Amino acid sequence: MRLSTILSEVARNLATGTTRAVGLALALGVAAGALAALDASTIVGMEHDAARYRSAAADVRTVSAPGLVDPQACDALGGSTSVQDAGALVPTTPVVPSATPASPLQSFAVTPSLAGVLAVRSPLPEGVWMSDQLAERLGLARGATLETHDGPLVLAGTFAWPDDGRDGRLGFAVLRPTVTNARFEECWAAAWPTTPAVEDLLRGVVDVQPQSTEAITVGQVNRSLGAAYDAHATYVARPTRYAVAACAVLGLVLGYASVRRRRLEHAGALHAGQSRSAQLATSSLETVVWAAVGTAVSVVGLRVVVARVGAMDPTAVFDVVVRGPVLGALCAVVGATVAACLVREQHLFRYFKDR
């Protein structure tokens, strides 16, 4: 059979409904799309869990060693492979507001790089930092001045510090950015992903003295969400990871069934003189058409789903889950080809009796 003849037969089979292309395309598109959408929803949920973990400062690790923390070594941790930001702090003399002398505010000297750990919003070059709730309680806005017994303090920046289980000391404290070589008490490091190696890095900023009896304590700013969150392990172990394999099996079954149900027709064509190669080409092309349409249905649906479930990186999520429908379409062609190869002309009468 010439190629034009094969294409003409494929077109007639599709137009007359012999292949049941519409039903097969919808079955593949809807089922594979649903499996992929379920996987997308799971991945986006994991994204939100990771974001909540980080927004709660649960990813911030700390080391405490009074009078032994090297601020320069602490600052140098920021920007490394595992640590995005790091900064040191040490308690100082409380701040006594002139308006409320009976209610002194806890004060910390901090290295300027701690702004990255606390996500201080656009700090001014000079002044102090405080949490949003403390600034609101004092009636201060960025750039405003707080009168104290030791002189005026300019509010250079604020940061969010809700009461969600994190270290509460900074919620009502005044932070004074300071550049000094003096030893600090703590080093805080925002590390993502969280790995045991971060704790080793933090211990490295402590200037251990042979005669020192101070304990070195490694901790976490917020323990309410767990001591660690292994995002990669959670992603790899997600229950919907088998969605791609399920799409492949679905495609194989549909492709195989689409040809097997027509085995009498195919055996009759072979008996009438159609070559095996022409029959394989015809069944494969028919399957390619309805599998491609089904995949298009899945892809369009996935685009909508990924956009609506609030993915932080829609393109990355789509690139992961779209593999299922695409693999399903490829396996449909494989299944149809296998079924066509199993059709035997000598079984024509058996197929007829089994009909």
Side-chain angles (χ1 to χ4, degrees):
M1 295 177 65
R2 292 178 299 179
L3 178 60
S4 59
T5 304
I6 293 175
L7 294 176
S8 177
E9 183 176 353
V10 169
R12 285 195 301 271
N13 289 339
L14 292 171
T16 58
T18 303
T19 59
R20 298 184 182 178
V22 174
L24 290 168
L26 288 177
L28 178 64
V30 172
L35 289 169
L38 181 62
D39 192 26
S41 179
T42 301
I43 293 174
V44 171
M46 292 165 50
E47 277 188 337
H48 290 170
D49 288 342
R52 185 164 66 94
Y53 190 85
R54 299 189 69 184
S55 65
D59 64 324
V60 179
R61 298 298 192 263
T62 67
V63 63
S64 176
L68 298 177
V69 172
D70 183 343
Q72 294 181 347
C74 179
D75 289 354
L77 293 180
S80 63
T81 303
S82 299
V83 179
Q84 289 74 49
D85 295 287
L89 66 159
V90 61
T92 58
T93 305
V95 172
V96 181
S98 300
T100 57
S103 302
L105 301 174
Q106 190 172 8
S107 176
F108 291 88
V110 303
T111 56
S113 62
L114 191 67
V117 179
L118 304 179
V120 179
R121 293 181 290 272
S122 303
L124 298 174
E126 300 291 337
V128 300
W129 310 330
M130 61 182 64
S131 68
D132 294 335
Q133 57 265 43
L134 179 58
E136 182 179 359
R137 176 172 294 187
L138 297 176
L140 299 176
R142 179 172 171 271
T145 300
L146 173 66
E147 297 295 337
T148 72
H149 282 191
D150 296 325
L153 296 177
V154 176
L155 179 58
T158 60
F159 54 92
W161 204 254
D163 184 14
D164 56 1
R166 68 184 71 195
D167 189 333
R169 293 176 299 166
L170 270 58
F172 294 93
V174 175
L175 308 185
R176 301 172 180 261
T178 305
V179 178
T180 177
N181 292 326
R183 293 300 182 253
F184 280 55
E185 184 170 302
E186 299 177 43
C187 178
W188 289 17
W192 188 259
T194 56
T195 63
V198 175
E199 296 185 1
D200 295 334
L201 290 174
L202 282 170
R203 289 189 178 93
V205 307
V206 178
D207 185 11
V208 180
Q209 302 295 331
Q211 71 278 11
S212 175
T213 59
E214 294 288 349
I216 300 174
T217 305
V218 177
Q220 185 180 5
V221 169
N222 190 342
R223 291 186 175 274
S224 64
L225 298 179
Y229 185 89
D230 193 334
H232 178 69
T234 303
Y235 169 78
V236 171
R238 71 190 189 282
T240 56
R241 64 187 183 277
Y242 300 111
V244 174
C247 289
V249 173
L250 173 68
L252 278 172
V253 170
L254 288 176
Y256 184 86
S258 69
V259 174
R260 179 174 172 77
R261 70 176 183 82
R262 299 169 59 196
R263 63 188 184 278
L264 176 59
E265 172 191 338
H266 291 313
L270 291 174
H271 185 69
Q274 185 183 39
S275 66
R276 174 70 68 176
S277 59
Q279 187 170 95
L280 288 174
T282 301
S283 59
S284 296
L285 286 174
E286 291 171 353
T287 306
V288 166
V289 172
W290 63 257
V293 173
T295 302
V297 172
S298 296
V299 169
V300 172
L302 280 177
R303 283 290 187 186
V304 175
V305 170
V306 172
R308 289 184 176 273
V309 294
M312 298 178 182
D313 189 346
T315 301
V317 174
F318 178 81
D319 289 345
V320 170
V321 300
V322 78
R323 293 178 298 177
V326 172
L327 184 59
L330 294 176
C331 287
V333 178
V334 173
T337 303
V338 170
C341 289
L342 295 177
V343 173
R344 294 290 183 267
E345 177 187 350
Q346 57 269 34
H347 295 162
L348 174 61
F349 294 107
R350 181 164 67 85
Y351 296 153
F352 181 79
K353 288 190 297 182
D354 293 342
R355 184 177 59 173

